[in-house]
Every structure is written in structure tokens, then in C-alpha cells.
Amino acid sequence: TASREQLRVRYGHIIVFLQKGPLVLVSASKSHQSELQLRSELLHVYHQIVSMLTQASINRIFQCRKNYDLRRLLFGSERVLDALLDVMETEAGFLLSAVQCLPLAPSTRDTISQILQKAITPNLVLSILLYNGQLVSIVQEKMVIEDARLKSTDLHLLLNLIRASSAFQTGEIWTPICLPCFNPDCYFYTYVAYLDPPDCTICLVLLSTDKDAFYAVAECKRKIEEGVRTHNALQCISKVQLCQVCHVGVAELRHFLFKPLDVPDHHSQLPQFTSPEVEAPYSTEEKRIYLMDLYWHLHSRIHSTLRPIKLLYHATQRETLLALVTGKFEMYACFSPLVTKSTAIGAVTKLLRWIKKEEDCLFIRSPPKYSTTPPEARGFSNSRVQTNKTLFGTI
Amino acid sequence: MASGMQEKQYTPSLLSFFIYNPKFGPREGEEEKKILFYHPSEVEKNEKIRNVGLCEAIVQFTRTFCPTKPAKSLHTQKNRQFFHEPEENFWMVMVVRNPMIEKPSKDGKPATIEYQEEEILDSVYGAVLRQCYSMYKLFNGTFSRAFEAGGVELLRQKLEKFFYRYLQTLHLQSCDLLDVFGGISFFPLDKMTYLKIQSFVNRVEESLSLVKYTAFLYNDQLIWSGLEQDDMRILYKYLTTSLFPRHTEPELAGRDSPLRPEVAGNLLHYGRFLTGPANLKDPEAKFRFPRIFVNTEDSYEELHLIVYKAMSAAVCFMINASVELTREFCEQLDALVGPQLTLLASDICEQYNINRRISGPEKEPQFKFIYFNHMNLAEKSTIHMRKTASVSLTSVHPDLMKILGDINCDFARVDEDEEIIVKAMTDYWVVGKKSDQRELYVILNQKNANLIEVNEEVKRLCATQDMTTLKTVSCSCFNDSISVMQ
């Protein structure tokens, strides 16, 4: 008999089934994505639902009432799931399981990080500043990092939740959000505010484990706002020049994705990638989806579970694609179809050189940390489970 | 205590194979009537009905997404099901067990099984399933005609008779890209010899007016065919994987071999029948020619298949099945064709040897490649050292063959010229080129080369001897048009 988790049907369209606990998710797709990739998309959808409800409560509900209609709890959140499906089609972060940082001079970034680092309150675990969805700075609580790593999926789902609801753009929001990969059974209490209304491009997100800490966390925001104003940081951020593919210096190069892999583990940073703005001929929504579909396909061949490969070069009438993975990085590049093989190979060298030159701006190498755990609670390595209960309230 | 056992690798195998028509049992309680053939037959009736029902349900379900294209395959962790609807409402389903690795029990933990789903390529096994139908149809005609002639009973009988044996010849563990192509290997010939063969065929067809179609092969490779491409393709598969391997050459047999006496009485020529009368000298012996069905889309012809061989040359004569072929006719054919074919066979052999001397001894082929031309179905592989139904000896690692399969799938998506170059984990390079209905796959063992050097190597391959033999030779003779491969 077949294992139900991995049932798929194929015929030009692919239909993929995924069962997680009491939920069955189905996807029908015409894209070039592989079954594994579609399954991971379904997993993201599942995780997004968990981010709103937590896994523990989903399981509990269905245990009590097998016929429960979960839509009752998900009412109003359809646009979050819709937005997720859209964003998975156009953004490389999901494909690469990595986040993209705003290219920022290290000094500016450090200044901002220090501002975040100082604006703390007990039970605050994560402070994030974003500009148009790209990471400006992220500061994490020390103990939290030791216990469990923040995954890029959690960050993507968090950002999607915030972006999908226009309600988040009005004033300050305090809401429970679950980080499913970190801990699927409990909520963090999330403070969200835009520092530049009404443009709403610079977003501050503060996560706490204490559901009654709204005022304390709002005070942190005030301190951050002050610090940011003092240093004129908002201007620096909005004036930033995003990466453009012409910076690399290869005429036929149209777009690329680059993810460094040689990050020492003790840096405990989020996996990151960099990629330039999407320009012609992929500037329309449709073309962006088309380009991402090409990347999805390259990725599935390169990372095939049974026959992974090191390099893939695919020349078609419309573009030439090159995918390369080494111990140090993985990259995906899209060239005009007229590019020669020597230019394409030469482009890799030029790209590596350019990345090396700019890497301090492109990546956050060592995310700063703060400590908000009271000193008494620090000796808890023996009784982790106990402490988890004190640190993280369950609903 | 650690077990000293090794990991055991299981190759893909046939789990079940069934044919059904939902129209034959549309009402509840009649489900069994839908099933026309089911292997393995020992399976309990209800389970058969369940499995067929599941396939029906999946086909129906997927129709809602794409009404024009039916479901092709179903992937689950342990097996893969392939669907094919060769005739309206007649469905064929093949269920293949995924290859798996059995890891021995260790430290008290039970043995685990890891299923390798990605190992099976849909394109390969989908093609194998379609070929099952083509082979059945070659010897039995279409499902609908059988049903029209004798109802469900006759159809069931025919299916049982054919598939019971045929399924045993399926060796799923050795299927690969060549099964996707289902191509024909052409014998390299110079123009002169080709014309000799053509005139031989014309002469015989004129003398034996009953002959409707002819095909000429040498050394398991095709030289001439009067049949339509699709018919020749499946006939070729039958000849090279079933008929020819069964008949080794008596003149090559040793002095004491039982095969010897057949040739003893006939010093005029080496010709003999591979189908039909095994021994013309015995007047009591009964014989029968196999019947084949061709042109099933339009004229629907049933023919006797006469296969006559002399040394390495084999000729197929196809005659309308309504004609009764007598012993006299066979003797006439034997007397006419035997000597001419024997001469022709030695001519071809001589010419071939001359050509080889000119082009240089054929050492281990320098390049490992597979070539296929969609227009004339010509295929050539220097990777397969021997490919029969039961064995596919390839000189490259099976993972590389699967990479070729992946590239072929990528090519199949768009109908344009493309090129794909892959560097595998083992540092082997695989280059796939698609141009103008032709596909070429090259495997290079050049670990330290870069993309540009690999490109140069492949260019050299296309310009060298290997490709020019393909150039001069292969005359595709379908429908009298000769197109020379580049």
C-alpha cells in the first residue's frame, strides 16, 4: 500500500498530496517544479497555518471534533495564504531557504544593530528591522540562539503574515504569532510598527514571550525610533542603492542568485543569499514567475536527492542558464541566449570577485546578540523542558 | 551486536499489470466485468477490483484539471503506476516497485528499507508500457477489433495468452533512455551495395507477387523497409529481441552440434526459414507463419510474417493473411531467395570489411555517445555493448544513464534546439544536444576539463569518423524516400 504522505499524479500538470497530522494539503501545478519542491511549498502553506493557529491547537481541535471546519478559525486569513502562494512563485528566498539583506555599509548596519541591541526589555527574544522585505538588522537573544536556531522559513512566514495584512500598516500592532520551525506549539507575542508612515517601507518587528509586555515592548520601539532619528538612519536606509546586475560587469548577464555556503556554524547566522533587482526582460509579474520557475528547475536538478550534480548549463532559444554548486557557494545565473560558453564561465569569476568586494555590505556576518534572560534563570541546561514552559507560555 | 550484513540493493520490478475497460461493468456489483487482464492472477478478486477502482478514480479526478490530457503516472513512496489509454476506454496500468535499499538491522534496531523514488524515470517506463501495447497489437490487432469479432471472451483470451508470456520478458531493471526512443539501428552501407539490395528486393517482389511488404536486415540492423515507421519499429524490436536471439547460426555451430544436419543437405545456399517450415525436406512436418497486424489506423492489414535468413542477412516477407501459404510456395521462395541472399550476404560482408579497413580498426570507441533521429528513428549507441530484452550492458555507471534520461525529459518540454551540459558528482561530463529533431548525448570522462574544453571535445566528436559513418550510411527507406543522416 502506498504511503499517504507522498502521493502524486503526473501528466503535464502535477498534483501533489501532503498529509500533516489531521490536515491534507493538495497542490495542482503546471510549473516546472519537481514533486519535492511542490511538496515543500505545501509544507510552507501548512506552516503558515500553524503560524496563525499553532500545531498543538490544530491537533487538539481535530482530536475533539473530527469534522471540524478549520475555515472557521482561518476566517480572514485567506489573503495571507494567497500572498504566500504568490510570493513563493516570485521570490528566491523560499527556493534557497535563505534571506536577503539590504546592501548596507557595515558602519550604518552596526549603528542600527547597536540601537536595537540597547532597546531591550525582559522576555524580548528577537528584534528585526526590515526595509521593503529585505533585512536591515536582526538581533537575537543569546539563550534563544543556544537552544534553537531561527530558520529562514520562520522569518519568511512572519514577513508574509505582516505584509499580507494591511492592518499591520496602521500604528502599532500586538499579536500572537507562532514560529513553526522554531516551536510549532506556542506563540510569540509580536510587536509590529512601521517607522516611516505613511510610506510604510521600514518595518520594526519585536518578539516577546510575555503576552502582557505590550507597553514595555512599545517603549523599546520608542527608544529605537529615537536612536534611529539621532543617527539619521532612516535616510541612510531609504537612500540605499540596491544591487543591479550591471555592477558585476558582464553584459550578457541578466540576473543571478548567489548563496554562500561556507559559513562557520558558530556564527549562527541565518542563511543568506544575494540577488540583483529583476530587470528587463523579466520585469513583468508574469516574467518574474517564469524566471523563478527556471531557477526552481535548475535547483531541483542540482540538488536531486539521488543524482545531484555539480554544474548545469542549459542553452535555449530564450536564455542560457548556468547553475553551479561548490563547497563554498551555490549560484544560478541567467544570461542572454547569445552568450558564449567562455563568457558564461568568465562571468562566474567576475561574479565571485564582485561578491568578495561587496560582501560586507551584502551579508550580515555575525548577528549581534543581547541578553534579556534574568541571571537566575541562566543555569537551566539541566531542566530545559521546565524552562521552556517558563520562557514560552502556551495558549 | 553489529550485524555483518551488507546493504542489499533491490532493482525496480513489476508488481502488477492490468487492463480494464470501465464501460464493461459500469454498474455497482459488476466491477469484475471491467477487468480484462490482471497479473498476478493469484491476487484476490476484491483487491483486483479495488486497484482498478483506484485507477479509475485517479483518472477521473485528474480529468477535472486537464480534460484533454489523461493521467500518465502516479508516484507513491513504494511504487509507481503508469497509465496508458491506447484505445478509447481501454486502459493499461503497469505498477512498478521502486528500487530500494535494505539496510541490515543494527544494534537491535530492525532492518530498514529506503525507497529510491527518483531512480525511476517516467519517460522510460511510460515508453515500456506503450511498447507492451504495440507488441500486443502487432500480433493480435487492436482491442476493439477483437471485441467486435468475439466479445469480451475472445479479448480476454487473447490478452491472457499474449501478456502471460510477454510480461515474463520484461526486464525492468535494464530499461533506459533507449526505451524512450524505441529506435532502429541502421547498418552502415555504401551506395553501391545499397542499390544491390534494393534491386534484390524488387526482383523478389516481382517474382513472388504475393509479397506485399519486405524488410531487409543485416546483423540485427535494418537496411531497407517497406513498412510504415511505427510498424517497422515494433517489428524491429520483436526481431532483434525475440526472434533472432532464438536462432543462432547453424554454419557457425560446431561439427557435432544438432544444428548442423539442417545445412548438410543444402550445399547451394545458406538460406533457411526462421518462421514457418523449419525443415523443408520433411513433407509431413506442419508449419505455420506468425500473423502480424499493420497499418491499424487505416487499412488494417493482417499478414503472414516470413522471416528468411542467410548468414547474417535476414529478409522479412509479408503476405496477406487471407492467402494460404503452401509447402510449394515455401520451396519456391527458398529456391529463389536462398542463393541470391547468400551471395548478397557475403557481398555485404566483404564490403563492410573493406570499409572497416579503410576507416581503421574499430578499437574501443573513443567517444561514448547515444544518437537518435526522430525523423527516421535511427539510433546509435556506443555505450550499450549489448542490448537485448534481458540485459543491457552499458559501459557507464547507471547514474549517468539516468542523467541522460533527465536531459531527455528537459528536451521533451519544448520543441526547439537546445543544449544541456552537466558535470556530475563524479566529475564526468554529460553533454546533450538537440537540433532539428535529432538528439545526441555524449559522456566524457575528463575530470579536469572545464566547460569550454568539453565543448571543443564534443565538436570534435561531431566532426570525426564516428559521425561520418552515420553520414554515409543510413538510408531510411520508409516510403521509398532516402534521407541521409548528417
Side-chain angles (χ1 to χ4, degrees):
Chain A
T1 49
S3 154
R4 299 232 282 166
E5 230 195 72
Q6 306 185 35
L7 216 68
R8 309 161 208 110
V9 185
R10 195 177 235 293
Y11 61 116
H13 287 65
I14 301 183
I15 302 183
V16 178
F17 295 78
L18 172 69
Q19 184 173 14
K20 285 294 276 181
L23 300 182
V24 176
L25 298 101
V26 185
S27 156
S29 162
K30 265 197 301 192
S31 67
H32 285 177
Q33 289 162 300
S34 68
E35 294 124 38
L36 281 168
Q37 291 171 335
L38 288 170
R39 212 163 67 82
S40 81
E41 285 200 348
L42 285 178
L43 203 56
H44 283 131
V45 171
Y46 171 75
H47 282 145
Q48 185 82 84
I49 296 175
V50 168
S51 76
M52 296 184 279
L53 303 177
T54 78
Q55 188 165 276
S57 52
I58 294 173
N59 290 343
R60 201 173 46 232
I61 289 168
F62 281 98
Q63 221 165 26
C64 298
R65 277 182 276 173
K66 291 218 188 311
N67 295 337
Y68 188 75
D69 186 348
L70 200 62
R71 283 176 296 186
R72 290 167 62 179
L73 286 182
L74 290 174
F75 182 75
S77 58
E78 296 89 347
R79 77 196 107 115
V80 174
L81 297 177
D82 278 343
L84 178 65
L85 294 173
D86 286 340
V87 98
M88 287 195 292
E89 275 190 308
T90 52
E91 280 180 28
F94 286 94
L95 171 66
L96 299 172
S97 301
V99 298
Q100 186 162 12
C101 302
L102 189 71
L104 209 55
S107 49
T108 318
R109 183 167 272 135
D110 285 343
T111 311
I112 297 174
S113 300
Q114 275 163 30
I115 298 170
L116 291 177
Q117 234 171 346
K118 295 211 186 88
I120 56 177
T121 177
N123 296 314
L124 193 68
V125 290
L126 202 57
S127 310
I128 312 173
L129 191 66
L130 303 134
Y131 175 68
N132 276 337
Q134 293 190 350
L135 208 55
V136 173
S137 173
I138 181 165
V139 188
Q140 298 167 292
E141 213 280 338
K142 256 193 221 149
M143 295 305 173
V144 166
I145 303 171
E146 273 169 29
D147 260 6
R149 185 80 56 85
L150 181 69
K151 298 253 168 31
S152 54
T153 307
D154 282 339
L155 199 59
H156 287 136
L157 295 175
L158 175 65
L159 295 187
N160 183 55
L161 201 60
I162 294 172
R163 246 191 323 218
S165 326
S166 51
F168 282 96
Q169 289 180 0
T170 57
E172 307 162 294
I173 302 286
W174 177 247
T175 183
I177 292 181
C178 166
L179 297 183
C181 298
F182 185 90
N183 185 337
D185 296 326
C186 68
Y187 284 118
F188 285 92
Y189 298 91
T190 313
Y191 178 95
V192 182
Y194 283 89
L195 299 184
D196 61 338
D199 299 327
C200 292
T201 58
I202 301 179
C203 182
L204 176 68
V205 182
L206 303 167
L207 274 78
S208 166
T209 55
D210 179 1
K211 73 171 181 300
D212 301 317
F214 173 71
Y215 292 104
V217 174
E219 178 60 24
C220 292
K221 177 243 185 183
R222 218 190 40 76
K223 284 195 210 144
I224 292 169
E225 247 182 333
E226 209 179 283
V228 144
R229 211 172 330 151
T230 319
H231 290 93
N232 238 341
L234 289 187
Q235 251 94 315
C236 287
I237 293 174
S238 46
K239 283 209 174 64
V240 143
Q241 212 211 5
L242 297 171
C243 296
Q244 287 173 329
V245 72
C246 50
H247 295 164
V248 179
V250 177
E252 292 94 335
L253 181 64
R254 287 179 177 175
H255 192 260
F256 65 86
L257 303 176
F258 183 92
K259 178 181 176 188
L261 296 175
D262 59 344
V263 177
D265 209 43
H266 64 264
H267 280 177
S268 58
Q269 50 172 273
L270 279 170
Q272 297 160 44
F273 76 97
T274 189
S275 155
E277 284 196 294
V278 179
E279 294 168 35
Y282 307 109
S283 353
T284 64
E285 172 89 354
E286 197 189 325
K287 279 303 204 168
R288 281 196 69 167
I289 295 175
Y290 167 81
L291 178 63
M292 199 54 51
D293 206 27
L294 295 175
Y295 286 140
W296 278 101
H297 182 64
L298 291 175
H299 189 273
S300 77
R301 286 272 185 255
I302 288 264
H303 293 290
S304 157
T305 40
L306 288 171
R307 36 185 185 277
I309 52 185
K310 288 184 180 177
L311 179 151
L312 178 61
Y313 176 91
H314 189 165
T316 75
Q317 307 279 305
R318 285 163 305 275
E319 51 266 311
T320 290
L321 302 163
L322 177 64
L324 185 57
V325 69
T326 70
K328 299 211 162 91
F329 64 86
E330 68 182 277
M331 66 159 265
Y332 304 86
C334 176
F335 298 90
S336 104
L338 303 169
V339 76
T340 62
K341 291 184 180 71
S342 44
T343 309
I345 291 297
V348 175
T349 318
K350 284 203 180 150
L351 181 60
L352 288 174
R353 216 177 289 147
W354 178 79
I355 297 264
K356 191 91 190 109
K357 191 169 68 118
E358 302 290 328
E359 67 179 349
D360 291 329
C361 296
L362 296 173
F363 305 111
I364 297 176
R365 282 306 182 198
S366 30
K369 310 172 187 89
Y370 50 63
S371 176
T372 60
T373 325
E376 317 86 66
R378 261 185 229 154
F380 65 81
S381 40
N382 296 332
S383 52
R384 284 220 174 154
V385 174
Q386 183 106 32
T387 317
N388 268 342
K389 280 218 178 103
T390 18
L391 274 187
F392 308 121
T394 46
I395 37 135
Chain B
M1 194 171 68
S3 149
M5 267 167 40
Q6 288 274 347
E7 277 185 1
K8 201 167 164 201
Q9 170 91 48
Y10 291 88
T11 50
S13 59
L14 184 67
L15 272 182
S16 64
F17 185 103
F18 47 92
I19 303 175
Y20 70 92
N21 184 331
K23 300 277 186 240
F24 289 178
R27 289 187 293 273
E28 223 179 286
E30 285 191 328
E31 290 88 359
E32 205 184 353
K33 292 192 187 163
K34 291 186 247 192
I35 305 177
L36 300 168
F37 173 80
Y38 200 105
H39 162 86
S41 50
E42 315 83 70
V43 165
E44 199 238 316
K45 181 179 90 164
N46 284 328
E47 192 182 322
K48 288 186 191 177
I49 293 176
R50 251 201 320 271
N51 291 337
V52 169
L54 176 64
C55 292
E56 266 188 277
I58 289 180
V59 167
Q60 274 301 100
F61 170 67
T62 53
R63 272 226 166 91
T64 55
F65 291 96
C66 190
T68 50
K69 287 198 231 159
K72 283 210 292 236
S73 70
L74 173 68
H75 299 202
T76 63
Q77 185 198 30
K78 296 182 185 168
N79 58 50
R80 202 171 283 202
Q81 304 198 23
F82 297 93
F83 307 100
H84 180 43
E85 189 188 13
E87 296 173 40
E88 202 181 343
N89 292 317
F90 286 97
W91 285 88
M92 294 174 75
V93 180
M94 180 168 82
V95 185
V96 179
R97 193 195 60 200
N98 287 337
M100 48 193 207
I101 295 182
E102 188 176 4
K103 298 199 169 123
S105 48
K106 207 161 68 153
D107 308 324
K109 287 194 215 148
T112 52
I113 295 188
E114 185 188 303
Y115 291 94
Q116 301 176 306
E117 296 173 60
E118 270 187 51
E119 285 287 294
I120 296 201
L121 287 166
D122 271 5
S123 50
V124 171
Y125 293 89
V128 169
L129 177 59
R130 289 193 298 277
Q131 205 168 66
C132 287
Y133 171 73
S134 301
M135 195 63 88
Y136 167 86
K137 190 180 69 144
L138 180 68
F139 291 104
N140 292 278
T142 60
F143 294 154
S144 351
R145 289 274 179 138
F147 176 65
E148 281 163 28
V152 175
E153 263 324 296
L154 177 64
L155 181 55
R156 282 217 177 99
Q157 270 171 35
K158 279 177 173 271
L159 291 173
E160 177 70 38
K161 186 159 170 230
F162 177 81
F163 281 107
Y164 180 72
R165 251 183 332 141
Y166 187 71
L167 291 180
Q168 290 171 36
T169 68
L170 280 186
H171 291 260
L172 297 180
Q173 70 274 18
S174 52
C175 295
D176 62 23
L177 186 61
L178 288 189
D179 291 284
V180 177
F181 294 146
I184 299 175
S185 184
F186 284 92
F187 186 77
L189 265 192
D190 57 292
K191 230 14 185 296
M192 260 324 289
T193 318
Y194 177 76
L195 287 172
K196 274 192 204 169
I197 294 170
Q198 207 176 9
S199 84
F200 159 79
V201 170
N202 289 340
R203 278 199 310 277
V204 175
E205 282 186 344
E206 226 181 274
S207 316
L208 301 170
S209 55
L210 288 174
V211 172
K212 221 169 166 189
Y213 303 107
T214 313
F216 194 107
L217 297 97
Y218 187 86
N219 244 356
D220 279 15
Q221 292 175 289
L222 186 64
I223 294 179
W224 160 270
S225 164
L227 282 177
E228 287 293 319
Q229 244 184 25
D230 280 336
D231 291 326
M232 188 61 229
R233 166 190 233 172
I234 191 69
L235 179 63
Y236 176 81
K237 175 122 182 128
Y238 165 69
L239 294 172
T240 55
T241 60
S242 179
L243 187 65
F244 291 162
R246 272 189 271 145
H247 294 85
T248 48
E249 291 309 307
E251 54 269 15
L252 300 175
R255 208 190 292 253
D256 299 320
S257 159
L259 294 166
R260 261 282 155 186
E262 278 183 46
V263 191
N266 198 339
L267 299 164
L268 295 173
H269 62 83
Y270 283 110
R272 60 201 183 100
F273 286 89
L274 292 190
T275 61
N279 186 2
L280 272 177
K281 300 292 171 219
D282 182 359
E284 300 303 314
K286 293 217 192 306
F287 65 91
R288 216 188 142 263
F289 290 102
R291 306 268 184 106
I292 59 171
F293 294 79
V294 300
N295 287 326
T296 52
E297 300 290 304
D298 28 51
S299 46
Y300 204 90
E301 299 159 64
E302 187 178 350
L303 310 161
H304 292 290
L305 175 66
I306 303 176
V307 183
Y308 188 89
K309 193 162 186 197
M311 295 172 9
S312 299
V315 198
C316 300
F317 299 109
M318 286 157 268
I319 295 174
N320 211 308
S322 54
V323 174
E324 194 201 324
L325 297 181
T326 60
R327 178 168 294 283
E328 287 77 50
F329 174 79
C330 297
E331 284 170 352
Q332 191 190 4
L333 196 147
D334 182 64
L336 173 66
V337 177
Q340 289 187 50
L341 189 61
T342 307
L343 269 174
L344 203 47
S346 36
D347 260 352
I348 298 173
C349 188
E350 208 182 296
Q351 200 56 43
Y352 181 60
N353 287 331
I354 293 175
N355 284 340
R356 280 174 65 176
R357 241 175 287 136
I358 296 177
S359 67
E362 197 164 294
K363 42 190 192 288
E364 164 88 18
Q366 230 187 335
F367 294 101
K368 295 195 198 293
F369 68 87
I370 293 181
Y371 170 97
F372 179 69
N373 185 331
H374 286 268
M375 288 200 302
N376 62 5
L377 306 185
E379 92 183 5
K380 182 175 165 94
S381 166
T382 59
I383 290 173
H384 293 81
M385 296 177 297
R386 193 158 60 98
K387 188 152 171 68
T388 65
S390 61
V391 103
S392 176
L393 279 178
T394 55
S395 56
V396 300
H397 194 275
D399 275 353
L400 286 173
M401 283 307 295
K402 302 222 170 69
I403 291 179
L404 291 195
D406 289 339
I407 296 177
N408 169 259
C409 284
D410 288 345
F411 281 163
R413 280 216 190 97
V414 210
D415 208 7
E416 290 167 356
D417 290 358
E418 293 195 348
E419 185 181 1
I420 296 181
I421 302 179
V422 164
K423 185 173 187 190
M425 281 307 193
T426 48
D427 287 331
Y428 272 79
W429 288 87
V430 181
V431 179
K433 270 174 167 335
K434 183 173 86 147
S435 157
D436 241 2
Q437 298 284 310
R438 290 164 300 181
E439 295 181 34
L440 174 69
Y441 300 84
V442 186
I443 296 181
L444 295 167
N445 180 5
Q446 292 182 343
K447 305 191 181 222
N448 296 320
N450 64 28
L451 194 67
I452 299 151
E453 287 161 5
V454 163
N455 193 40
E456 291 305 305
E457 272 294 289
V458 174
K459 276 200 195 149
R460 275 210 308 129
L461 160 65
C462 293
T464 64
Q465 200 70 4
D466 288 315
M467 296 308 275
T468 51
T469 49
L470 293 172
K471 236 191 250 194
T472 35
V473 177
S474 145
C475 302
S476 156
C477 351
F478 300 120
N479 299 325
D480 263 10
S481 66
I482 296 178
S483 66
V484 179
M485 260 175 12
Q486 294 292 323

